[in-house]
Amino acid sequence: MKEREYNLDLLRIIAALFVIIIHVIVRPLVISFEQPYHSIDFLICSGIKGFVQTAVPIFVLLSGAFILTQNKNKNFSYFYKKTFTKIILPTLIAAIIYYYFSLVLQVIKDHLGNTISSTAYNWLPIKILFASPFYHL
């Protein structure tokens, strides 16, 4: 039985916290875009976001480390077949669905124009539908 590597678990926890911070810090950063770039809010949010962006490379490196430790992945045809069916294909399908969903939303938004009252716009489903819920994708 392989010995568990707690340092990699700790790194995974830190990277997961960084991902949470990335998603939480975006809203203040977007709001601070309306202010001058030299504002303190913008500088702080940009600095934090720049630091925690390391989460994605950390997860990529951890995935590589775990993949390389499995003997069955030394067979490249098996590995790439498994990768295609479990990762690449679902990602492509999700991207296609997202693309067409964005097109439909844009058509609805263009069709309705400014006909939505400000009171109705504050209703959460309308906000989610017509706001920019995909700014981080």
Side-chain angles (χ1 to χ4, degrees):
M1 187 170 177
K2 292 183 182 178
E3 187 75 24
R4 186 164 185 98
E5 295 193 36
Y6 293 104
N7 55 347
L8 295 181
D9 289 339
L10 179 62
L11 194 56
R12 204 183 307 179
I13 291 168
I14 291 169
L17 290 173
F18 281 6
V19 168
I20 292 169
I21 293 170
I22 289 170
H23 288 281
V24 170
I25 202 78
V26 169
R27 182 72 179 145
L29 192 58
V30 170
I31 290 171
S32 67
F33 276 135
E34 298 166 0
Q35 302 172 8
Y37 288 117
H38 60 275
S39 73
I40 192 72
D41 292 342
F42 179 79
L43 294 174
I44 291 172
C45 289
S46 294
I48 293 171
K49 189 169 187 294
F51 179 72
V52 298
Q53 284 292 119
T54 58
V56 174
I58 289 171
F59 275 123
V60 169
L61 292 173
L62 283 171
S63 296
F66 290 123
I67 286 171
L68 290 174
T69 59
Q70 297 177 6
N71 287 332
K72 63 183 177 183
N73 288 331
K74 300 214 190 266
N75 180 348
F76 289 115
S77 64
Y78 168 79
F79 173 73
Y80 285 114
K81 189 185 298 182
K82 181 177 75 169
T83 302
F84 182 79
T85 57
K86 288 188 176 181
I87 297 173
I88 296 173
L89 191 62
T91 301
L92 287 174
I93 292 170
I96 291 168
I97 291 170
Y98 164 73
Y99 175 74
Y100 284 110
F101 181 70
S102 297
L103 287 178
V104 168
L105 281 182
Q106 190 60 46
V107 168
I108 292 171
K109 198 173 187 180
D110 291 344
H111 178 69
L112 291 177
N114 293 326
T115 59
I116 301 174
S117 69
S118 61
T119 307
Y121 190 77
N122 287 327
W123 188 47
L124 185 61
I126 298 291
K127 264 186 169 176
I128 291 171
L129 186 63
F130 292 106
S132 299
F134 309 113
Y135 56 81
H136 64 287
L137 294 177

